[in-house]
Amino acid sequence: MARAGLNTERLTRAGAELADEVGFDRVTVSALARRFGVKDASLYSHVRSSQDLKTRIALLSLEELADRAAAALAGRAGKDALAAFADAYRDYAREHPGRYAAARLELDPQTARDSAAGRHSQLARAVLRGYDLAEPDETDAVRLLGSTFHGYIALERAGGFQHTPRTSEQSWPRIVDALDALLRNWPAG
Amino acid sequence: MARAGLNTERLTRAGAELADEVGFDRVTVSALARRFGVKDASLYSHVRSSQDLKTRIALLSLEELADRAAAALAGRAGKDALAAFADAYRDYAREHPGRYAAARLELDPQTARDSAAGRHSQLARAVLRGYDLAEPDETDAVRLLGSTFHGYIALERAGGFQHTPRTSEQSWPRIVDALDALLRNWPAG
DNA sequence: TAAATTACCTAGGCCTCCTAGGCAAATGTA
DNA sequence: TACATTTGCCTAGGAGGCCTAGGTAATTTA
C-alpha cells in the first residue's frame, strides 16, 4: 500500500490547522489520523503522545507569533511600536484562534525555556525602549503589557464584551492609548 | 442498598472541590462518581452531561467570586477599592485554582446573561466611581481592568513570571499602582 | 540484490461519555 | 398500615479517544 508520508513536522502543521478549524481542545490523535487517512496507532511513530502533539503545536505557534511580533516592530518606536505589537498579537489570535490557544498551553519549565517565550519578552522589552523605564519598572511594565493583551484577547474571544453597545473594536485602540499614556507617566516607586 | 444522597447541588460542590484538587480540565463524570462511590451512569439523573456539570461549576464559581469582590469593595473607595478588588480576584485564584479556571469557561450567551458575570462588571464600575471617567471611557476602563487582572493571573498561574529575579509578588502591587495612576490620568479621546 | 530500516497495519486494553431499561428505597396516599 | 408512585442508583452496553505490542510491506542502504 502507498504510504501517507507522515512525519513529526507534517503532523504538527496539520495539527495546527486542525486547531484553527475546530479548536485546540478538539485536536486529538484520532482526528489527525482521520485527516491523513491512516489509523491512530500510526501516528505514534512520529509523536510520543497526545500531549506531545499538543506541545509541538504550542511551540510552533509561539515561534510564528514571535516572528509576527518581530516583523511588526521592525522600524517602529514609541507608541507606533506599542500599537503594532498589540495588533500583531490580536490579529494572530483572530486569524489563528486554535494556534493562539495552543500558544497559551502550560509548558513544563524546561520546554518553556527552550521555546520562543524568551523572544516574546525580549520583544516586549524592545517596545519599552521607546519609553523611559528603569528596572524594576521595566519588568513590571513587560508583565503589564503581556497581561493586558492576553487578557483582552481572552475576554474578547470568550464573548465578554458583547453586552454593551461599545464594540471591542472601539475599545482596543483606546486601551492602547491608555497604555501608552501610562508608560509615559509610570508612577514612582 | 443505601443511597449516596446525590443531587445536583452536591455534585456541583463536589465537582468544584475536585477541580481545585486536580484541575478543572480533569473534572470528569467518572472521577466524580468514584468520589461518591457510585457508577458513572448514576450521575446522569442529576446532571445532563459532562458539559452541564462543568457549566454548573463555572456558575457557582462566578457567584462565589462576585461575593468576594463585593465584600472586598464594601466601605472602600479610590485606590483602596482598586487594590481590594484586584486582590479579591487574585486571592480567589490562588485559593481555588480549579474554580477560578471554571469561572473562565466559555458560556453560551444565554447562560452568560443568567450568570453572575453582570455583577462582576457592575463591581468593576463601582471601583471606577472613585475616578473621574465619563462614557465611553468608563467602559474601556472596565475592560482594561478585567483584561489586566485576568491576564496577570493567567500568566502567573502558567509560570510565566519565573524567569527573572523579580517575583510576581513584587510586581503585582506596582501594577495596581500603575493602573491607579492611569485611571487618575486617563488620556483624552 | 540482499539487508536494514522505516511506515503503517491489526489487535486489543483501558478510560471517558452517555443511553436504555430495571429494581429497590423512599415518599405520598388511602 | 398497605399500597402506589416516584426517585435513586444499578447493570449492560455502544461509541470514541489514548496507547502498546507485534507484524508486514514499502523504501533506503550497502
Side-chain angles (χ1 to χ4, degrees):
Chain A
M1 316 143 183
R3 297 187 180 187
L6 304 184
N7 59 47
T8 308
E9 164 102 17
R10 279 192 71 191
L11 287 179
T12 305
R13 298 204 165 278
E17 282 164 29
L18 183 59
D20 285 337
E21 289 166 25
V22 304
F24 183 57
D25 49 342
R26 290 210 178 102
V27 172
T28 66
V29 172
S30 309
L32 200 52
R34 240 176 272 129
R35 170 161 297 217
F36 281 101
V38 301
K39 300 291 170 182
D40 320 11
S42 305
L43 266 52
Y44 289 87
S45 315
H46 307 285
V47 137
R48 275 198 306 285
S49 65
S50 177
Q51 186 57 42
D52 179 43
L53 170 65
K54 286 179 179 159
T55 300
R56 288 175 191 280
I57 297 172
L59 294 175
L60 170 72
S61 305
L62 281 169
E63 292 284 353
E64 281 185 1
L65 189 45
D67 290 347
R68 283 225 191 179
L73 282 188
R76 293 185 211 270
K79 186 176 175 184
D80 233 33
L82 178 66
F85 187 67
D87 286 341
Y89 277 85
R90 186 158 174 253
D91 292 346
Y92 187 78
R94 307 180 133 206
E95 290 169 37
H96 298 295
R99 284 161 150 95
Y100 183 79
R104 312 272 18 137
L105 181 67
E106 220 166 307
L107 301 174
D108 70 89
Q110 184 55 54
T111 309
R113 260 190 296 280
D114 297 345
S115 78
R119 275 174 75 205
H120 287 269
S121 45
Q122 288 311 314
L123 289 165
R125 286 198 138 77
V127 170
L128 293 183
R129 276 203 283 277
Y131 300 88
D132 203 35
L133 293 170
E135 285 297 1
D137 294 342
E138 186 174 284
T139 295
D140 294 340
V142 167
R143 291 174 180 184
L144 175 70
L145 289 186
S147 299
T148 306
F149 295 153
H150 168 51
Y152 195 90
I153 291 167
L155 290 177
E156 180 178 44
R157 295 212 60 77
F161 300 149
Q162 293 170 357
H163 306 304
T164 62
R166 186 146 175 97
T167 66
S168 183
E169 231 54 60
Q170 292 173 301
S171 289
W172 178 251
R174 290 291 290 140
I175 281 177
V176 173
D177 286 350
L179 290 173
D180 171 65
L182 173 57
L183 293 172
R184 282 189 283 101
N185 299 290
W186 193 264
Chain B
M1 319 146 182
R3 298 188 179 183
L6 305 184
N7 59 49
T8 308
E9 163 103 17
R10 280 193 70 191
L11 287 180
T12 305
R13 297 204 165 279
E17 282 164 29
L18 184 59
D20 285 336
E21 289 167 25
V22 306
F24 183 58
D25 50 340
R26 289 210 178 99
V27 172
T28 65
V29 172
S30 309
L32 200 52
R34 239 175 274 129
R35 170 161 298 216
F36 281 100
V38 301
K39 301 291 171 181
D40 319 13
S42 306
L43 299 201
Y44 288 89
S45 315
H46 308 285
V47 139
R48 274 198 306 284
S49 65
S50 177
Q51 185 59 40
D52 179 42
L53 171 65
K54 286 180 178 158
T55 300
R56 287 175 191 280
I57 298 172
L59 294 175
L60 170 72
S61 305
L62 281 169
E63 292 284 353
E64 281 186 1
L65 190 45
D67 290 346
R68 283 227 192 179
L73 284 187
R76 293 185 211 270
K79 187 176 175 186
D80 233 33
L82 178 66
F85 186 68
D87 286 342
Y89 278 85
R90 186 160 174 253
D91 291 347
Y92 188 77
R94 308 181 130 204
E95 290 168 37
H96 298 294
R99 283 161 152 95
Y100 183 78
R104 312 272 21 137
L105 181 67
E106 220 166 307
L107 302 175
D108 70 271
Q110 185 54 54
T111 309
R113 259 191 295 282
D114 298 344
S115 77
R119 277 175 74 206
H120 287 269
S121 45
Q122 286 313 311
L123 289 165
R125 285 198 139 78
V127 169
L128 293 183
R129 275 202 284 278
Y131 300 89
D132 203 34
L133 293 171
E135 286 298 359
D137 293 343
E138 186 174 284
T139 295
D140 294 340
V142 167
R143 291 173 179 184
L144 175 70
L145 290 186
S147 299
T148 306
F149 296 154
H150 168 50
Y152 194 90
I153 291 167
L155 291 177
E156 181 178 43
R157 296 212 59 76
F161 299 149
Q162 293 172 356
H163 305 304
T164 60
R166 186 148 175 95
T167 66
S168 183
E169 229 55 59
Q170 292 173 302
S171 288
W172 178 251
R174 290 291 291 140
I175 283 177
V176 173
D177 286 351
L179 290 173
D180 170 64
L182 173 57
L183 292 172
R184 281 189 282 101
N185 300 291
W186 194 263

